[in-house]
């Protein structure tokens, strides 16, 4: 019995030590996962909140970079810099938009190269201008409403919507309506008119935004169309097929349309982005190069045009000098000749040409 007690004490100590180590390790792992929002750096980072950029000019410890794993070191560095950028974002003024707090970003200070111009903001529609003038705020409606007929919640719009009048098998005829009129056909016709009116208003808003003259309601054609308008109508009808007029024959004495425009080709949004990557790399290479990129063909053509312009200008000057000398020479023409008297044909001896009389 006396020999077993010390063994039990030693085991309990070892168990307590291992338990404490496990707890300490778990706390360290938890602290590593949940790092604080305060990050200390030797040099403060430069921020550009407009572009959500942060510039870290601190020197990288090469010894730590070599001793630790590269992925872990880079992940830790990116986490700290991102935390500093987020702390900087919380210093910006905020506002509430549709029950969400958003930050107002200032104008960017770093100029970033763009292949295409930034999109312009869309001009407000007529309803948006009216709502802003009257102070009408947009209220978000719920997608589900209570249907009294079916006694259940249904969608407000679309398939299986609440209060769907198209599913009615019986329609009450109004007192002032014709009893022989088809009310189902009348309702379908009214719906088509509403859809057409909404589409017309949408196109009118687009035309107003692009400052295009909008025709009146009904789109009535002009009584007499010009030759150009007729040719344009023929061309539109010709390319309004599934093959875009590829297999359409030309009319007799039909001329090829002019100024039809060129089809724009856009890069695909999905798939292989190697061409787009190469374009961006070429653009950065041109911007980063110290020597400007020289287009030999363009430079030679410009030099040839300048030489042609100089030679033409020189020829004009020489031609003007010769013309003035030619006008001064000649005898018998007014006072310049010295011998001419009176009008033409008087005071002169006729000159006879050699040969037969």
């Amino acid at each position: 019995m006396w020999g077993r007690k010390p063994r039990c004490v030693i085991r309990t100590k070892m168990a307590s030590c291992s338990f404490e180590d496990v707890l300490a390790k778990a706390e360290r792992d938890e602290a590593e996962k949940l790092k604080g929002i305060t990050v200390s750096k030797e040099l403060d980072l430069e921020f550009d909140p407009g572009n959500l950029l942060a510039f870290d000019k601190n020197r990288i410890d090469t010894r730590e970079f070599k001793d630790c794993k590269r992925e872990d070191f880079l992940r830790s560095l990116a986490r700290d810099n991102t935390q500093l950028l987020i702390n900087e974002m919380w210093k910006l003024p905020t506002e509430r938009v549709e029950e969400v707090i958003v930050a107002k970003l200032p104008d960017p200070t770093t100029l970033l190269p763009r292949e295409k111009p930034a999109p312009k903001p869309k001009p407000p529609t007529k309803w948006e201008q009216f709502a802003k003038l009257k102070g009408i705020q947009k209220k978000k409606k719920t997608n589900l409403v209570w249907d009294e007929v079916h006694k259940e919640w249904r969608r407000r719009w679309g398939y299986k919507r609440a209060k769907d009048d198209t599913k009615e098998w019986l329609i009450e005829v109004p007192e002032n309506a014709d009893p022989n009129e088809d009310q189902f056909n009348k309702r379908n016709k009214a719906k088509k008119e509403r859809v057409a009116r909404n589409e017309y208003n949408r196109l009118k808003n687009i035309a107003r935004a692009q400052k295009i003259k909008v025709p009146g309601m009904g789109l009535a054609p002009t009584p007499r169309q010009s030759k150009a308008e007729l040719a344009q109508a023929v061309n539109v009808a010709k390319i309004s097929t599934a093959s875009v007029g590829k297999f359409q024959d030309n009319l007799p004495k039909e001329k090829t349309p002019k100024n039809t425009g060129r089809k724009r080709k856009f890069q695909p949004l999905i798939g292989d982005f190697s061409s787009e990557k190469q374009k961006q790399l070429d653009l950065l290479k041109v911007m980063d190069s110290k020597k400007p990129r020289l287009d030999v063909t363009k430079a030679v053509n410009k030099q040839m045009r300048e030489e042609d312009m100089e030679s033409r200008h020189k020829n004009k000057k020489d031609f003007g000098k010769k013309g003035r000398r030619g006008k001064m020479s000649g005898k018998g023409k007014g006072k310049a000749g010295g011998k001419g008297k009176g009008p033409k044909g008087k005071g002169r001896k006729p000159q006879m040409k050699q040969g037969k009389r």
Side-chain angles (χ1 to χ4, degrees), residues 112-116 276-289 293:
L112 299 176
R114 290 182 64 95
E115 184 181 2
K116 297 177 182 178
E276 183 179 358
K277 179 181 178 182
Q278 189 62 34
K279 278 186 180 180
Q280 300 294 339
L281 291 175
D282 294 342
L283 181 63
L284 292 174
K285 186 177 180 181
V286 171
M287 294 175 62
D288 194 32
S289 62
R293 187 176 176 182

Side-chain angles (χ1 to χ4, degrees), residues 175-227:
E175 294 180 359
N176 56 354
D178 186 6
N180 297 323
E181 187 179 10
D182 189 357
Q183 298 297 325
F184 293 97
N185 189 16
K186 183 179 178 181
R187 185 177 58 185
N188 295 336
K189 187 177 180 181
K191 182 179 179 181
K192 289 181 180 179
E193 289 179 356
R194 288 197 304 269
V195 172
R197 191 183 300 110
N198 292 336
E199 181 66 15
Y200 174 74
N201 291 333
R202 186 183 71 84
L203 296 175
K204 194 162 62 172
N205 288 332
I206 295 173
R208 188 186 294 109
Q210 296 181 359
K211 297 181 180 179
I212 301 174
K213 188 177 180 182
V214 183
M217 193 68 178
L219 300 174
T222 56
R224 288 188 179 181
Q225 293 181 341
S226 63
K227 188 177 180 180

Side-chain angles (χ1 to χ4, degrees), residues 153-164:
W153 292 94
R154 289 200 168 192
R155 294 187 180 93
R156 189 184 293 271
W157 304 282
Y159 179 64
K160 289 186 178 180
R161 62 182 180 272
K163 301 177 183 179
D164 188 4

Side-chain angles (χ1 to χ4, degrees), residues 10 13 34 39 45 77 85 92 95 108-109 145 150 162 195 205 209 219 223 229 238 244 289 300 305-306 325 328 355:
I10 292 171
K13 285 184 178 180
L34 303 174
V39 180
L45 273 67
L77 183 63
L85 180 61
L92 299 175
E95 63 178 356
T109 56
V145 292
H150 298 87
V195 172
N205 288 332
L219 300 174
E229 291 176 348
K238 188 176 179 180
V244 198
S289 62
V300 170
R305 284 196 300 270
E306 290 178 355
R325 289 175 185 173
M328 296 298 293

